[in-house]
Amino acid sequence: MFFPLLVSGQGKEALLIDSLIKVLPKLKDDTNKVKVLCTLSTNYYLVQISEGFHRGYEALALAENLGWKKGIAKAYNSIGTNFWAINNFLKAQEFYLKSLKLNEELGDKMAIARSLHSVGVSYSSQNEKSKAIEYFERALQLFNDLNDFVAAYGCNQNLGDLYLQRNQLQKALVSYTNALNICREKHMQKESAIVLNQFAMAYANQHDFKNAIAYANQSIKTLEEMPRCNNLAWQYAY
């Protein structure tokens, strides 16, 4: 499954929303308020989707009144994420592409990379693998240039999954290897376990069960070394 870059967990989103809701009435109608509204929108989609849309469109209206293009692009992205959450992938793509166009006009490389990734997610969700790969590859190049290793990990993971779905094993393994190298360099244990499991699935799909078992065991070992890891039972089931 392909996700927008912002996903972290419902508990964290709820805490952030509570804190921002308390701050919001104290803010003037300026760019800071647009940022807060966009953050609310992109976190509400996991908690209360109607509020996600409400805050996203509120941010868009304010950004347009201010004539703040960067804020308009942020609002487009937030609204797109909420459309993605209700499986309206075409509408999500429409807003992601609007965000991308504005970010390209502004020359904001990080925002461009994130928009490219979002468009890739929308194509992946529609099972348009070739277009998804195109956008993820473009995003990956920028994330690498900007040294955003966490985002680069996500792009490599997504690319590996897409190549595996297309039965392009060698390309999938290259992408998974790139993702795993980032995880190990940055000590991302949970993410390492996820990639190792993807290696196992890739080899299992090729009926190479020796390698599949070896990577599955590495994934389990990595999870066992983590305190209170909720993914361990799932990995044993695999």
Side-chain angles (χ1 to χ4, degrees):
M1 184 62 180
F2 305 91
F3 296 101
L5 287 170
L6 51 98
V7 172
S8 61
Q10 290 188 15
K12 291 181 180 179
E13 273 73 26
L15 288 173
L16 180 58
I17 287 167
D18 286 344
S19 63
L20 291 179
I21 287 295
K22 292 175 183 177
V23 170
L24 191 60
K26 303 174 184 178
L27 298 177
K28 299 178 181 178
D29 287 343
D30 58 13
T31 58
N32 284 329
K33 187 172 183 179
V34 174
K35 291 177 185 177
V36 169
L37 288 168
C38 287
T39 302
L40 280 169
S41 177
T42 52
N43 283 275
Y44 258 125
Y45 93 96
L46 283 173
V47 181
Q48 189 179 352
I49 195 72
S50 60
E51 276 298 300
F53 279 113
H54 173 66
R55 298 303 181 179
Y57 280 111
E58 189 178 354
L60 179 59
L62 178 54
E64 288 176 337
N65 286 338
L66 295 170
W68 188 38
K69 286 188 176 182
K70 186 173 182 179
I72 295 171
K74 284 178 178 291
Y76 282 151
N77 183 74
S78 300
I79 295 167
T81 298
N82 283 278
F83 274 115
W84 176 86
I86 61 170
N87 298 328
N88 192 338
F89 303 128
L90 279 176
K91 200 69 178 176
Q93 184 174 303
E94 175 188 329
F95 277 90
Y96 287 148
L97 286 169
K98 286 181 179 181
S99 182
L100 174 60
K101 183 180 178 181
L102 273 181
N103 286 324
E104 287 177 332
E105 289 176 7
L106 295 167
D108 186 333
K109 289 186 177 181
M110 181 58 75
I112 291 169
R114 289 182 171 272
S115 290
L116 288 168
H117 183 276
S118 294
V119 175
V121 167
S122 70
Y123 275 119
S124 298
S125 300
Q126 297 171 77
N127 204 32
E128 295 191 39
K129 297 181 179 63
S130 295
K131 295 296 291 185
I133 288 171
E134 174 190 337
Y135 279 91
F136 283 137
E137 289 281 12
R138 290 171 62 190
L140 177 60
Q141 182 62 57
L142 282 175
F143 285 135
N144 284 335
D145 291 345
L146 295 164
N147 294 320
D148 188 335
F149 299 108
V150 174
Y153 152 79
C155 274
N156 277 303
Q157 177 80 330
N158 287 341
L159 284 165
D161 292 348
L162 285 165
Y163 283 128
L164 186 58
Q165 291 169 20
R166 292 174 58 158
N167 204 32
Q168 294 176 276
L169 180 62
Q170 292 308 312
K171 286 189 174 183
L173 294 178
V174 168
S175 294
Y176 289 145
T177 298
N178 291 337
L180 186 59
N181 287 341
I182 292 170
C183 292
R184 287 175 171 169
E185 183 180 345
K186 301 301 175 183
H187 307 291
M188 298 159 58
Q189 279 186 287
K190 181 179 178 181
E191 289 78 8
S192 291
I194 292 170
V195 181
L196 288 166
N197 183 65
Q198 292 306 102
F199 271 105
M201 292 181 66
Y203 281 113
N205 286 348
Q206 299 297 314
H207 304 289
D208 183 348
F209 299 114
K210 181 178 179 180
N211 274 317
I213 292 170
Y215 277 103
N217 285 335
Q218 286 185 55
S219 180
I220 290 170
K221 183 179 179 182
T222 302
L223 291 170
E224 286 176 334
E225 292 171 354
M226 295 177 62
R228 298 177 63 185
C229 183
N230 295 327
N231 290 332
L232 186 55
W234 169 79
Q235 180 58 43
Y236 276 125
Y238 169 80

